């Protein structure tokens, strides 16, 4: 108990460590990689402080090494999910009643543990389980997650301080209540930080949560849960259930106390969940909050005034880092024909020069795609690019599944701006480029705007200010995160709040106050210090 009006430590973005040869962080990461690669762990759902095994298991293997089994995971069944819901509801009263700064302290502690002794555990498990290079793991599992913890605490404290005005004799207050019921967080494979943030953000606001991570991220999810426990998260606040997403959400969506969905993943899955929630509306005690960040077909559009070298670098980094498995990855580009003639060779040469392989070999720039399904999707797309008339493969196009799920970084050129490969999210290392006639800049902007159903990220490259302004105006609704002369990936918490509209999601900007508002149901309180005692008004005299 304290009378303090707590002010959280001001957040700053966690510095990204370099892992250069001879550095202390590199030695620490290598040592943790060796330990985690020694043998599979056995893990299971974690509910109200207890490990819940079912005997029905699935394996997690390193995407870049079929023979490296990392985990055996006990999958939840319907009874386990029901137990997780009960645990969340049982923990709710005490968690919600706890002073906000005590809740916040748990996550600020998680941030400091992660910045220090836990850093290489989350980095190494993300490298092995999701095939990220040291840099890609560092900016995700360490830095972004630390930033989510610290910045969300700051934003939450600012929300709590938002209070209404009061007339004389009255005291108006806003009680920023959590939702009534439990929140379901369903998370994707590609970012450990997102997997942790989706259950954490509602929990910070006093909600209790059932968290279903992707089967493909189950290895690092195990360590995220351990981090929450190490930070002192009370039992039952976040309940981890592994297994089939459709089954887990089915049980949750049938429950009258289902109060909110915090989802990141594919558009198809999100749409099916929204529909299912809609169909069950009469079941619920409250209208559930539905927050979803979903797919993208993110663009780079170059004007003829664009700097060729900056453009090539942005295309390569934007399309191929983490094998293009970022919702923000550049997967379609529009380049004026005269400029394309100049960048064709440098783009092809740089793409061919990219080192791909086991990410625990620190010289590599890329690892493997996440699983057999992703591998097959890309192999088929490359075959399609080779077979179709308007498309051809400029660089890359090789696939190799002998050791791991490797797809080489690939540039496809499409004369047809509405070809399937310009429209469909593949979620991997294929960039399709459409060369357009130099004088068709304005028409091309319309093409960019109307070609895909998504609206997540996009970038314009130009030195001509009028061209930048025109692109910014015409593409206003084409991207929730818009970049000028920069690659469309790599949003930083607190700097570029992330999310998109159209088929890309509800644009609730993870890691910002906007997202936290979705997990709050404000109560307006009016207190009258001297209430009137005569019902008649003066005009009645
Ligand atoms: P996914 O949709 O396959 O899976 C996401 C989660 O949903 C997983 O936990 C999965 O188990 C679960 N799930 C799968 N089928 C389900 C069903 N029928 N009902 C309920 N849950 C189900 O996505 P993924 O492959 O893990 O991630 C890649 C996708 O996520 C891409 O489309 C990418 O663009 C998107 N993504 C978007 C953002 C963003 O901020 N917009 C960020 C990261 C990833």
């Amino acid at each position: 108990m304290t009378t303090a009006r707590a002010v959280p430590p001001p957040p700053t973005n966690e510095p990204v460590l370099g892992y250069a040869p001879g550095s202390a962080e590199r030695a620490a990461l290598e040592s943790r990689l060796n330990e985690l690669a020694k043998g599979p762990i056995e893990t299971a759902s974690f509910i109200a402080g207890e490990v819940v095994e079912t005997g029905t298991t699935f394996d997690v293997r390193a995407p870049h090494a079929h023979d490296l089994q990392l985990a055996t995971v006990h999958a939840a069944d319907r009874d386990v999910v029901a137990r997780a819901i009960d645990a969340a509801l049982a923990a709710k009263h005490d968690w919600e009643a706890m002073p906000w700064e005590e809740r916040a302290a748990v996550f600020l502690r998680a941030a400091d543990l992660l910045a220090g002794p836990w850093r290489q555990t989350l980095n190494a498990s993300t490298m092995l389980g999701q095939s990220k290079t040291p840099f890609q793991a560092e900016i995700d599992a360490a830095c972004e997650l630390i930033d989510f913890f610290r910045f969300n605490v700051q934003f939450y404290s600012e929300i709590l301080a938002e209070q209404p005005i009061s007339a004389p004799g009255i005291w108006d207050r806003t009680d920023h209540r959590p939702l009534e019921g439990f929140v379901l967080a369903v998370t994707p494979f590609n970012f450990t930080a997102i997997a942790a943030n989706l259950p954490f953000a509602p929990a910070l606001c006093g909600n209790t949560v059932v968290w279903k991570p992707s089967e493909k991220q189950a290895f690092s999810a195990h360590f995220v849960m351990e981090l929450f426990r190490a930070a002192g998260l009370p039992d039952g606040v976040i309940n981890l259930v592994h297994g089939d997403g459709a089954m887990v959400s089915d049980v949750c969506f049938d429950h009258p106390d289902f109060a909110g969905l915090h989802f990141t993943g594919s558009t198809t899955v999100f749409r099916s969940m929204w529909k299912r929630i809609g169909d069950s509306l009469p079941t619920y005690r409250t209208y559930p909050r539905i927050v979803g960040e979903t797919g993208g077909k993110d663009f780079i559009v170059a004007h003829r005034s664009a700097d060729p070298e900056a453009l090539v670098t942005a295309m390569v980094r934007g399309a191929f880092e983490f094998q293009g498995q970022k919702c923000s990855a550049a997967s379609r580009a529009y380049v004026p024909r005269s400029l394309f003639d100049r960048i064709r060779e440098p783009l092809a040469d740089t793409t061919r020069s990219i080192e791909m392989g086991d990410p625990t070999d620190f010289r590599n720039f890329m690892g493997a795609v996440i699983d057999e399904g992703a591998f097959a999707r890309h192999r088929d797309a490359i075959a399609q690019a080779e077979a179709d008339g308007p498309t051809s493969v400029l660089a890359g196009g090789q696939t190799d599944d002998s050791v791991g799920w490797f797809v080489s970084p690939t540039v496809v050129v499409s004369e047809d701006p509405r070809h399937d490969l310009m429209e469909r999210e593949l979620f991997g290392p294929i960039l399709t480029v459409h060369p357009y006639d130099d004088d068709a800049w304005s028409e091309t902007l319309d093409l960019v705007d109307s070609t895909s159903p998504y609206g997540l990220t996009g970038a314009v490259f130009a030195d001509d200010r009028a061209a930048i302004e025109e692109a910014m105006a015409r593409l206003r609704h084409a991207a929730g995160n818009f970049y000028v002369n920069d690659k469309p990936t790599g949003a930083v918490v607190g700097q570029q709040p992330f999310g998109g509209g159209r088929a890309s999601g509800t644009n609730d900007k993870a890691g910002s106050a906007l997202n936290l508002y979705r997990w709050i149901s404000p109560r307006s309180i009016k207190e009258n210090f001297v209430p009137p005692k005569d019902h008649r008004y003066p005009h009645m005299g």
Side-chain angles (χ1 to χ4, degrees):
M1 172 100 185
T2 160
T3 57
R5 200 164 150 189
V7 176
T12 50
N13 291 115
E14 177 67 12
V16 179
L17 302 183
Y19 298 89
S23 62
E25 68 265 19
R26 185 181 178 113
L29 177 57
E30 283 174 337
S31 149
R32 201 69 186 109
L33 281 166
N34 286 336
E35 286 162 13
L36 292 185
K38 269 191 188 128
I41 59 162
E42 188 167 344
T43 186
S45 299
F46 190 78
I47 298 170
E50 280 180 38
V51 176
V52 181
E53 298 184 346
T54 54
T56 307
T57 60
F58 62 91
D59 292 342
V60 179
R61 290 176 184 277
H64 47 269
H66 300 317
D67 57 4
L68 178 54
Q69 188 186 336
L70 299 166
T72 301
V73 187
H74 289 258
D77 55 25
R78 297 182 80 90
D79 289 344
V80 172
V81 182
R83 206 169 139 183
I85 297 171
D86 290 347
L89 293 173
K92 189 170 170 54
H93 176 270
D94 287 358
W95 181 244
E96 158 172 352
M98 187 182 275
W100 78 269
E101 63 268 25
E102 305 301 331
R103 293 199 306 265
V106 171
F107 298 110
L108 290 176
R109 186 168 180 217
D112 274 20
L113 288 173
L114 181 52
W118 279 77
R119 192 181 200 104
Q120 303 315 345
T121 298
L122 255 63
N123 277 346
S125 57
T126 299
M127 286 177 68
L128 294 171
Q130 290 134 271
S131 204
K132 292 203 174 192
T133 61
F135 178 73
Q136 292 300 319
E138 168 76 6
I139 59 171
D140 164 20
C143 299
E144 182 163 291
L145 183 48
I146 293 167
D147 289 352
F148 275 141
F149 287 143
R150 291 180 178 154
F151 279 84
N152 273 341
V153 166
Q154 173 67 26
F155 297 139
Y156 184 54
S157 75
E158 290 167 9
I159 291 172
L160 296 182
E162 284 170 14
Q163 292 294 324
I165 56 166
S166 300
I170 301 291
W171 191 8
D172 291 322
R173 282 172 280 167
T174 299
D175 173 15
H176 299 276
R177 303 172 302 183
L179 309 182
E180 220 183 343
F182 72 93
V183 172
L184 169 65
V186 179
T187 60
F189 79 82
N190 63 335
F191 273 84
T192 304
I194 297 178
N197 183 50
L198 266 51
F200 147 65
L204 173 66
C205 303
N207 297 282
T208 51
V209 182
V210 174
W211 170 32
K212 210 304 283 179
S214 165
E215 296 93 313
K216 304 171 224 170
Q217 187 258 334
F219 187 54
S220 56
H222 166 85
F223 294 104
V224 167
M225 195 67 223
E226 297 232 311
L227 172 65
F228 284 144
R229 295 174 67 194
L233 187 72
D235 293 344
V237 173
I238 294 176
N239 301 279
L240 164 64
V241 290
H242 286 292
D244 179 59
M247 181 278 291
V248 172
S249 16
D250 203 49
V251 177
C252 293
F253 295 158
D254 274 343
H255 200 288
D257 289 312
F258 167 67
L261 169 67
H262 204 188
F263 176 82
T264 297
S266 58
T267 300
T268 322
V269 169
F270 185 53
R271 285 180 173 164
S272 72
M273 291 168 114
W274 192 308
K275 184 167 187 312
R276 175 71 171 74
I277 294 166
D279 290 344
S280 305
L281 263 189
T283 313
Y284 306 133
R285 294 174 65 200
T286 60
Y287 291 103
R289 299 282 168 87
I290 305 177
V291 175
E293 297 304 331
T294 59
K297 187 74 183 175
D298 308 301
F299 61 83
I300 291 178
V301 57
H303 183 253
R304 59 177 175 275
S305 65
D307 178 322
E309 280 177 82
L311 177 62
V312 169
T313 302
M315 287 166 98
V316 168
R317 282 190 169 174
F320 303 135
E321 282 183 323
F322 186 38
Q323 298 79 266
Q325 297 174 125
K326 300 187 182 191
C327 48
S328 55
S331 53
R332 55 186 171 124
Y334 304 78
V335 183
R337 231 170 257 286
S338 61
L339 181 57
F340 190 62
D341 288 344
R342 289 167 65 198
I343 68 162
R344 176 190 288 272
E345 282 318 308
L347 177 63
D349 288 347
T350 312
T351 302
R352 286 188 207 105
S353 74
I354 286 174
E355 301 86 358
M356 181 176 68
D358 187 330
T360 62
D361 176 345
F362 285 20
R363 291 168 302 182
N364 286 320
F365 182 86
M366 275 176 61
V369 298
I370 193 72
D371 66 358
E372 187 173 7
F375 178 83
R377 190 165 64 246
H378 288 85
R379 189 194 48 210
D380 294 351
I382 290 165
Q384 180 186 4
E386 281 163 344
D388 284 0
T391 53
S392 57
V393 175
L394 174 67
Q398 295 83 33
T399 55
D400 182 353
D401 61 354
S402 55
V403 177
W405 307 115
F406 287 103
V407 177
S408 63
T410 300
V411 179
V412 172
V413 179
S414 177
E415 286 301 327
D416 175 5
R418 295 200 183 265
H419 190 273
D420 175 54
L421 296 180
M422 296 291 290
E423 286 189 7
R424 181 162 57 101
E425 183 187 50
L426 293 167
F427 213 56
I430 298 182
L431 171 67
T432 307
V433 185
H434 172 64
Y436 67 86
D437 293 338
D438 282 37
D439 55 5
W441 165 246
S442 297
E443 297 88 315
T444 301
L445 293 179
D446 289 340
L447 255 181
V448 174
D449 189 38
S450 62
T451 295
S452 113
Y454 299 107
L456 194 48
T457 76
V460 59
F461 274 76
D463 281 347
D464 179 332
R465 199 67 225 179
I468 293 171
E469 194 195 348
E470 189 181 353
M472 197 116 67
R474 288 179 98 123
L475 299 174
R476 189 161 188 222
H477 293 282
N481 284 61
F482 190 77
Y483 296 79
V484 179
N485 291 322
D486 204 352
K487 66 184 167 63
T489 60
V492 176
V493 177
Q495 297 186 25
Q496 299 95 22
F498 190 80
R502 296 186 179 163
S504 290
T506 53
N507 198 17
D508 287 298
K509 300 291 187 202
S512 80
L514 289 172
N515 180 279
L516 298 181
Y517 281 114
R518 304 302 310 274
W519 312 117
I520 286 167
S521 178
R523 174 169 65 141
S524 298
I525 301 169
K526 174 185 177 185
E527 180 168 353
N528 195 335
F529 292 130
V530 186
K533 294 187 176 169
D534 182 350
H535 80 277
R536 287 166 299 178
Y537 290 101
H539 68 82
M540 297 163 69

